[in-house]
């Protein structure tokens, strides 16, 4: 085989080369670890950002770091693009393949390697699901803190790719705050270790760079994560307000007062109705906005903190305060919140935006979001991590109507620009992916972008790893 593969070659030539790549990969992987028939490739043609679909050239399902390295080394040698993939739950199109790419999916690498309770850490393979880590240590009184609503399915490799967060990240931080080390394969097949079991490492913070790299710096095959001791007790409390603005300014004041609950989640009226119809969580239906505030600690600590939060909520006109009375009730409250995206999908097509704003701007941005949505003649349900200022307007539309879809996309872009304009940013936890790559120039100056691209190119000079994501296609340095 020649040393380069041109995808601009005539069709017959391209097909022959595709066949050659599949044959070569079959020498590196057993048959059950390589998918190449069109029918079998279909589950990999998109991710949870279902607006775009492409069948990849092939899907490799390696079982070990060595197999990942062999595949990447081969693809590097022949210039074949690679799209890393975990469970494919990305909401920004991060795991969507391109047709000339080999998808490397780590789902078969799903072993817990070591639980070290003494040092409060777990070493896991990249395809282990987020929830599986907590389940593995629950009986010993520990958990893994970042809890995306997709935690039943999403992998720790994908969480690192997107620097994922969740409802309980207000107190414990997102993935980057809970990651101690990774083993990662670079595009040329080199295996590197960053971080480890210790709390800090010398040199540049490359682990920080890898967290949120969207599959562009390498393929993570193993991760070492922090385990946290379960609190003595935890209590979610529902706070109902007449308006979203009141709820938003209450959140800002709680955080400004120095109180850090474990979670502060927000739902507006449409979101409350959608989630209640699905989960029967007992949410009040006579309010315009709802906060789920969870506190934890001893009974006395929780009472103390709640007393302060209720006093602040009263200053913002809170209408309903309902403390949860049992573990079953608490589970239902969280079930309702965590099923929000799925429950919304039952009533309409939607796109989920993911912008972050300074808390002082929360009320203003909620109000402006409503105006933007009205301006496009659309509907929205807001359900998001309010304590972090991480907003998720779910813009409802009809995917069978191209004009409606275009309006929804345009409204989403306007909302994200608004987040940037008030001092926030384009993403809180879902990444840039394909969805927001063209908005990166709205957030960053050319020099800032160029420096980010230079950092990316230092890991993958040929831009073969997940090449069509994150950065605008025009003007890519070194691409
Ligand atoms: C219903 C629903 C609810 C969600 N709720 C949340 C939420 O609360 N918080 C949140 O943060 N996100 C949420 N998400 C988004 C999504 O689940 C996260 O981004 C998640 O981390 C993706 O994990 P994954 O395994 O599915 O990765 P994928 O979607 O397969 O990939 C995500 C990105 O990481 C890269 N990647 C994957 N594996 C690796 C690897 N081993 N090495 C290098 N790069 C890799 C991919 O190339 C891609 O860029 C939600 C999604 C859905 C569908």
């Amino acid at each position: 085989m020649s040393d380069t593969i041109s995808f601009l070659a005539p069709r017959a030539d391209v097909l022959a080369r595709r066949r050659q790549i599949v044959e070569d990969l079959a020498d590196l992987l057993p048959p059950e670890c390589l998918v190449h028939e069109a029918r079998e490739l279909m589950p990999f043609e998109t991710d949870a950002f279902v607006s775009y679909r492409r069948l990849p050239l092939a899907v490799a399902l390696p079982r070990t770091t060595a197999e990942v390295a062999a595949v990447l080394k081969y693809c590097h040698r022949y210039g074949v693009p690679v799209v890393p993939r975990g469970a494919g739950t990305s909401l920004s199109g991060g795991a969507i393949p391109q047709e000339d790419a080999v998808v490397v999916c780590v789902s078969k690498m799903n072993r817990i390697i070591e639980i070290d309770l003494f040092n409060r850490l777990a070493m896991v393979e990249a395809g282990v699901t987020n929830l599986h880590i907590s389940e593995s240590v629950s009986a010993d009184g520990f958990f893994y803190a970042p809890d995306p609503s997709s935690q039943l399915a999403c992998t720790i490799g994908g969480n690192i790719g997107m620097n994922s967060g969740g409802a309980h990240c207000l107190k414990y931080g997102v993935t980057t705050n809970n990651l101690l080390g990774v083993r990662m394969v670079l595009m040329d097949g080199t295996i590197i270790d960053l971080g480890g079991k210790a709390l800090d490492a010398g040199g540049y913070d490359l682990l920080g760079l890898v967290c949120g790299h969207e599959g562009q710096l390498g393929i993570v095959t193993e991760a070492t994560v922090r385990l946290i001791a379960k609190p003595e007790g935890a209590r979610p409390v529902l706070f109902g307000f007449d308006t979203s603005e009141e709820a938003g300014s209450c959140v800002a004041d709680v955080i400004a007062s120095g109180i850090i609950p474990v979670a502060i989640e927000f739902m507006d009226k449409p979101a409350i109705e959608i989630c209640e119809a699905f989960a029967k969580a007992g949410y009040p239906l006579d309010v315009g906005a709802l906060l789920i505030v969870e506190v934890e600690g001893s009974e006395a600590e929780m009472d103390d903190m709640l007393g302060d939060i209720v006093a602040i909520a009263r200053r913002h006109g809170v209408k309903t305060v309902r403390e949860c009375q049992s573990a079953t009730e608490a589970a239902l409250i969280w079930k309702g919140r965590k099923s929000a995206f799925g429950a919304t999908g039952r009533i309409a097509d939607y796109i989920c935006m993911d912008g972050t704003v300074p808390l002082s701007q929360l009320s203003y941005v909620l109000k402006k979001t409503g105006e933007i949505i009205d301006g496009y003649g659309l509907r929205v349900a807001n359900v998001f991590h309010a304590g972090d200022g991480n907003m998720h307007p779910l813009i409802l539309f009809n995917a069978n109507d191209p004009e409606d879809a275009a309006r929804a996309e345009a409204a989403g872009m306007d909302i994200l620009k608004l987040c940037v304009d008030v001092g926030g940013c384009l993403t809180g936890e879902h990444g840039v992916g394909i969805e927001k790559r063209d908005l990166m120039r709205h957030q960053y100056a050319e020099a800032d972008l160029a420096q980010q691209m230079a950092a990316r190119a230092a890991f993958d000079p040929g831009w073969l790893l997940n090449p069509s994501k994150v950065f605008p296609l025009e003007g890519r340095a070194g691409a």
Side-chain angles (χ1 to χ4, degrees):
M1 180 161 195
S2 73
D3 263 15
T4 54
I5 294 172
S6 166
F7 290 99
L8 299 175
R11 189 76 193 154
D13 196 24
V14 171
L15 288 178
R17 289 181 185 280
R18 288 171 69 99
R19 270 197 300 276
Q20 180 70 57
I21 291 169
V22 170
E23 275 175 35
D24 292 344
L25 289 174
D27 289 339
L28 303 175
L29 297 166
E32 70 274 17
C33 295
L34 183 63
V35 178
H36 57 89
E37 300 290 350
R39 188 172 34 91
E40 293 169 347
L41 288 173
M42 284 178 75
F44 300 93
E45 68 180 353
T46 189
D47 56 19
F49 182 64
V50 286
S51 308
Y52 300 96
R53 290 166 196 276
R54 277 292 156 82
L55 282 188
L57 194 163
V59 176
L61 295 157
R63 298 158 304 177
T64 61
T65 299
E67 285 181 352
V68 173
V71 171
L72 289 197
K73 193 170 177 187
Y74 169 83
C75 291
H76 180 252
R77 178 161 184 214
Y78 294 108
V80 183
V82 168
V83 177
R85 185 177 177 106
T89 64
S90 168
L91 287 165
S92 61
I96 290 180
Q98 50 194 72
E99 60 200 355
D100 58 352
V102 170
V103 167
V104 177
C105 178
V106 296
S107 57
K108 282 188 191 286
M109 301 183 68
N110 56 7
R111 275 184 324 125
I112 304 266
I113 300 165
E114 182 188 355
I115 303 282
D116 178 351
L117 293 182
F118 188 77
N119 286 306
R120 300 195 171 191
L121 56 88
M123 283 177 70
V124 302
E125 288 185 333
V128 164
T129 62
N130 172 294
L131 189 60
H132 187 43
I133 303 177
S134 287
E135 285 174 345
S136 304
V137 292
S138 175
D140 295 303
F142 289 88
F143 69 107
Y144 173 63
D147 61 337
S149 302
S150 53
Q151 65 187 146
L152 186 63
C154 65
T155 65
I156 194 71
N159 291 177
I160 294 167
M162 291 310 198
N163 191 17
S164 296
H168 292 81
C169 290
L170 178 58
K171 177 168 177 186
Y172 295 111
V174 294
T175 303
T176 192
N177 309 108
N178 291 275
L179 183 69
L180 293 169
V182 294
R183 173 159 291 181
M184 185 168 90
V185 184
L186 303 181
M187 187 61 215
D188 65 1
T190 307
I191 299 167
I192 61 168
D193 287 302
L194 301 173
K197 289 186 171 184
L199 284 183
D200 200 3
Y204 292 149
D205 180 13
L206 294 184
L207 190 60
L209 193 61
V210 164
C211 215
H213 70 121
E214 304 204 22
Q216 297 200 313
L217 302 187
I219 294 193
V220 173
T221 58
E222 293 176 16
T224 304
V225 297
R226 265 176 225 271
L227 298 175
I228 310 263
K230 283 189 198 171
E232 208 175 314
R235 211 187 295 163
V237 181
L238 301 178
F239 291 81
F241 297 82
D242 279 330
T243 66
S244 292
E245 288 76 22
E246 283 171 346
S249 49
C250 175
V251 173
D253 269 6
V254 168
I255 301 295
S257 74
I259 303 170
I260 304 290
V262 196
I264 306 185
E265 296 290 299
F266 174 102
M267 290 184 191
D268 67 4
K269 196 165 185 61
I272 299 167
E273 286 168 357
I274 289 167
C275 294
E276 181 59 20
F278 175 76
K280 311 279 182 291
Y283 298 149
L285 293 170
D286 61 342
V287 298
L290 186 67
L291 297 179
I292 306 173
V293 180
E294 182 161 293
V295 291
E296 65 177 25
S298 66
E299 288 298 318
E301 284 167 334
M302 289 192 287
D303 284 346
D304 227 33
M305 199 180 276
L306 270 177
D308 293 343
I309 297 172
V310 169
I312 295 171
R314 290 225 166 92
R315 291 206 292 275
H316 293 277
V318 70
K319 196 171 157 183
T320 314
V321 179
R322 222 191 64 220
E323 279 191 40
C324 129
Q325 302 299 332
S326 67
T328 316
E329 207 185 324
L332 265 179
I333 286 174
W334 283 117
K335 181 181 172 200
R337 165 62 187 92
K338 292 202 171 190
S339 337
F341 294 0
T344 305
R346 295 197 318 162
I347 64 154
D349 302 303
Y350 70 89
I351 44 174
C352 169
M353 306 318 292
D354 165 48
T356 303
V357 299
L359 287 179
S360 57
Q361 301 291 335
L362 205 53
S363 278
Y364 171 74
V365 172
L366 278 167
K367 186 164 157 285
K368 290 300 278 184
T369 297
E371 289 170 15
I372 290 170
I373 293 293
D374 287 348
Y376 282 97
L378 294 163
R379 288 181 300 148
V380 69
N382 283 290
V383 48
F384 61 91
H385 312 310
D388 299 308
N390 180 197
M391 311 195 61
H392 292 326
L394 304 180
I395 305 174
L396 312 185
F397 71 103
N398 175 5
N400 293 319
D401 175 351
E403 284 180 14
D404 209 35
R407 274 196 297 274
E409 208 166 303
M413 295 304 113
D414 286 358
I415 292 170
L416 290 178
K417 285 181 181 167
L418 169 67
C419 292
V420 173
D421 294 344
V422 299
C425 83
L426 289 177
T427 172
E429 53 181 18
H430 297 170
V432 177
I434 284 187
E435 183 195 28
K436 301 165 199 157
R437 72 179 177 204
D438 293 326
L439 283 184
M440 286 287 272
R441 287 211 165 84
H442 193 77
Q443 170 112 50
Y444 294 107
E446 282 304 320
D448 301 334
L449 266 187
Q451 199 55 39
Q452 289 193 36
M453 288 192 271
R456 183 223 189 283
F459 282 76
D460 172 26
W463 282 67
L464 288 172
L465 272 168
N466 219 1
S468 55
K469 316 290 168 58
V470 183
F471 298 106
L473 295 181
E474 299 295 316
R476 290 176 161 201

